[in-house]
Amino acid sequence: MHSEKPNILFLFTDDQRFDTVNSLGNPCVHTPAMDRIAARGTAFTRAHIPGGTSAAICMPSRAMLHTGRTLFHLDGAGEDIPRDHVLMGEHLQRCGYRTWGTGKWHNGVSSFARSFSDGAEIFYGGMDDHWNVPVFDYDPQGRYEGTLPQCPDAFHSNALNVRRGDRVSAGRHSSELFGECAADWLESYEGTDPFFMYVSFMAPHDPRTMPQAYLDLYDPERIPLPGNFQGGHPFDNGDLKVRDEVLEDFPRDPFKVRRHIAEYYGMITHLDAQMGRILDVLDARGMTDNTIVVFAGDNGLAVGQHGLFGKQNMYEHSVRVPLMFAGPGIPRGVRRSSYAYLLDIFPSLCELAGIDTPESVEGTSLASAMADPGVRPRASLYAAYQQWQRMVKDDRFKLIEYVVDGRRTTQLFDLERDPSECRNLADDPSEQDRLRALRDLLFQWRDDWDDARSPWGKAFWDGYGAH
């Protein structure tokens, strides 16, 4: 099969932190398929999410990914996405692509129907038992008439689009379920149109279960504790009892944290093997040279760092994600340190595929940064979490501001000297000019993104004080 436009294969993971790829600097985890993509392409080592407006960070994160829109310019982050927000799959269909999706979709049934012309094993929800996933077959009418149950916990209290599926995967792990159906579809594809395949894994999101052989690869006794491990967070960040944080007791126990990390790595290696199956089919069918492969994660995860377990915070371990591109015209074996957001993927794929970018997209294409290490599409980054936390960072320093129950807390980190964010410089007399400059940058981003006009921003900035 040959097409003037490149095919696109998008491999997306759930709760995978930026530093969990072997070839990008973590010798403790085995990721041969991810390493293959890195060797064939360009990895953005400082890719981020802009935070979230829900404890279920993946809902707004995925909505931003598929629309290319910024956090406070996004309607319907947890529900069906409005039609004036053009979706990535929707746009690619208009440009001649056959679009196919499988796995987790957390942004509404009608949004999926707009995005994909085909698919299989579709999960409408945030999390579930990996061995008994409620899934749908592709419905060309876009109805997906499942039930809408009462959500069982606070994490999903606003995830009203969770549907129970027309069957359950019955003993097959989610990573194998999605990986196998993707490999099968790719193996049998005979169309002449270019394709966009979106494979959205549920792993390594908890519950952390996997085949025993993958768990056996990691001995908790041999897993090093993170250097920023703490028994608990040193102050109230606004959401210390969210469901991610109560997965383990307080104070955090070092051995239990090592066990969680071992299980986290085991899930990553297991899903990596399923990614490898898909890449093998791409190779076997001679499609690799004409296919853009994107690999990314929807958000990070603390797993014991700073005394936290979840992603509902502004630390590096939670806002940074893996992001790689490989394929025609993309430099091979390259690392780029320029800042990127997941919402930049949509316009990047448009440029790489030689198609226009919809006017509704606010992201910035990374194509020029792939080609030239001197190109820096973004000089700084902004992120927010609900009404409690705001973050801004320049190329070296990072400011986090908290407003919780009327109390304001400030953190300032030198990420070059202190990448684990252990030493707060906010009270250092020699850093006050820098602190003021970063606050000015914070206010600039707030205004550019219309944060203060949002219900979360209004609550934060009213408590923060006038500026």
Side-chain angles (χ1 to χ4, degrees):
M1 185 193 73
H2 175 74
S3 169
E4 292 183 2
K5 296 188 183 75
N7 303 311
I8 300 170
L9 168 61
F10 197 142
L11 303 168
F12 202 45
T13 60
D14 194 349
D15 277 8
Q16 185 173 355
R17 200 170 59 225
F18 75 100
D19 59 353
T20 56
V21 178
N22 182 286
S23 63
L24 297 185
N26 187 340
C28 296
V29 63
H30 306 291
T31 54
M34 297 173 198
D35 298 342
R36 276 168 73 181
I37 300 170
R40 286 189 51 243
T42 298
F44 284 88
T45 58
R46 293 200 291 178
H48 292 67
I49 62 166
T53 51
S54 161
I57 298 290
C58 60
M59 282 196 294
S61 180
R62 290 159 187 265
M64 286 184 278
L65 167 75
H66 285 281
T67 63
R69 295 184 66 80
T70 52
L71 184 61
F72 300 109
H73 292 167
L74 181 70
D75 297 324
E79 298 297 326
D80 289 298
I81 295 169
R83 288 194 171 272
D84 60 351
H85 296 1
V86 179
L87 294 158
M88 179 160 44
E90 178 181 34
H91 183 62
L92 289 170
Q93 282 188 72
R94 293 172 182 170
C95 294
Y97 277 79
R98 181 171 175 185
T99 62
W100 183 93
T102 187
K104 174 175 172 174
W105 185 265
H106 209 184
N107 299 111
V109 169
S110 70
S111 301
F112 185 92
R114 285 164 54 196
S115 297
F116 299 104
S117 55
D118 202 352
E121 310 294 1
I122 304 154
F123 169 58
Y124 287 111
M127 59 174 286
D128 217 294
D129 175 2
H130 285 284
W131 297 93
N132 293 282
V133 184
V135 288
F136 283 95
D137 289 322
Y138 180 78
D139 181 352
Q141 302 302 315
R143 291 174 300 209
Y144 300 100
E145 294 175 347
T147 59
L148 295 171
Q150 182 66 36
C151 297
D153 54 54
F155 184 82
H156 291 297
S157 62
N158 58 351
L160 299 179
N161 56 346
V162 176
R163 297 194 175 209
R164 299 311 299 169
D166 51 25
R167 67 185 186 287
V168 173
S169 62
R172 297 178 63 201
H173 193 279
S174 66
S175 295
E176 297 175 7
L177 180 72
F178 304 143
E180 181 176 308
C181 78
D184 288 348
W185 186 84
L186 187 59
E187 198 163 48
S188 62
Y189 186 66
E190 297 296 341
T192 56
D193 293 333
F195 60 75
F196 168 57
M197 288 186 69
Y198 177 68
V199 185
S200 179
F201 293 97
M202 292 167 62
H205 197 298
D206 69 274
R208 297 192 184 100
T209 57
M210 71 228 76
Q212 187 66 36
Y214 290 90
L215 182 60
D216 290 345
L217 292 173
Y218 299 98
D219 179 359
E221 297 281 3
R222 300 174 65 87
I223 296 288
L225 270 181
N228 52 8
F229 167 80
Q230 292 176 275
H233 197 256
F235 57 87
D236 187 356
N237 69 2
D239 219 2
L240 289 179
K241 294 299 175 68
V242 69
R243 55 90 50 203
D244 289 42
E245 299 304 337
V246 297
L247 289 175
E248 196 48 81
D249 296 334
F250 298 90
R252 310 307 195 185
D253 176 83
F255 177 76
K256 290 180 179 179
V257 168
R258 288 190 180 98
R259 177 173 55 79
H260 277 277
I261 297 171
E263 293 169 352
Y264 187 53
Y265 287 172
M267 287 197 84
I268 290 171
T269 300
H270 179 230
L271 78 84
D272 181 272
Q274 314 320 309
M275 289 170 54
R277 294 177 64 183
I278 302 169
L279 296 176
D280 286 346
V281 175
L282 202 67
D283 287 344
R285 297 216 55 199
M287 296 176 171
T288 299
D289 289 343
N290 193 42
T291 300
I292 296 169
V293 178
V294 184
F295 161 58
D298 67 350
N299 50 252
L301 204 65
V303 200
Q305 299 187 56
H306 294 103
L308 302 171
F309 260 73
K311 56 264 189 178
Q312 297 84 5
N313 61 81
M314 298 286 97
Y315 294 116
E316 298 289 278
H317 49 65
S318 296
V319 296
R320 286 176 63 186
V321 292
L323 176 59
M324 305 177 195
F325 295 81
I330 298 170
R332 299 172 65 95
V334 164
R335 311 289 178 263
R336 293 287 185 254
S337 61
S338 52
Y339 282 151
Y341 282 127
L342 289 184
L343 60 95
D344 297 331
I345 294 174
F346 188 167
S348 301
L349 288 175
C350 289
E351 183 170 353
L352 291 169
I355 60 179
D356 67 297
T357 300
E359 291 185 4
S360 60
V361 171
E362 297 178 295
T364 300
S365 174
L366 304 172
S368 59
M370 296 178 205
D372 183 351
V375 172
R376 299 275 172 165
R378 300 181 180 278
S380 60
L381 289 174
Y382 185 67
Y385 178 59
Q386 297 211 71
Q387 68 268 36
W388 298 300
Q389 304 171 28
R390 295 295 183 272
M391 178 276 284
V392 72
K393 59 195 296 191
D394 60 20
D395 197 51
R396 175 171 173 177
F397 288 87
K398 177 177 180 179
L399 171 69
I400 310 176
E401 298 276 26
Y402 304 80
V403 175
V404 179
D405 294 331
R407 180 179 179 179
R408 182 167 142 188
T409 305
T410 300
Q411 292 176 312
L412 175 66
F413 298 111
D414 181 345
L415 296 176
E416 183 177 297
R417 295 184 177 180
D418 179 26
S420 296
E421 300 167 289
C422 294
R423 185 183 173 211
N424 183 8
L425 304 175
D427 294 328
D428 187 331
S430 67
E431 297 293 347
Q432 296 311 297
D433 287 345
R434 190 181 315 279
L435 186 62
R436 282 188 288 271
L438 282 170
R439 280 184 173 141
D440 286 342
L441 186 60
L442 187 79
F443 303 138
Q444 178 183 324
W445 274 96
R446 173 199 65 186
D447 296 342
D448 288 347
W449 279 22
D450 294 316
D451 180 1
R453 297 183 183 182
S454 73
W456 310 275
K458 187 176 188 311
F460 178 87
W461 294 107
D462 285 353
Y464 187 84
H467 181 88

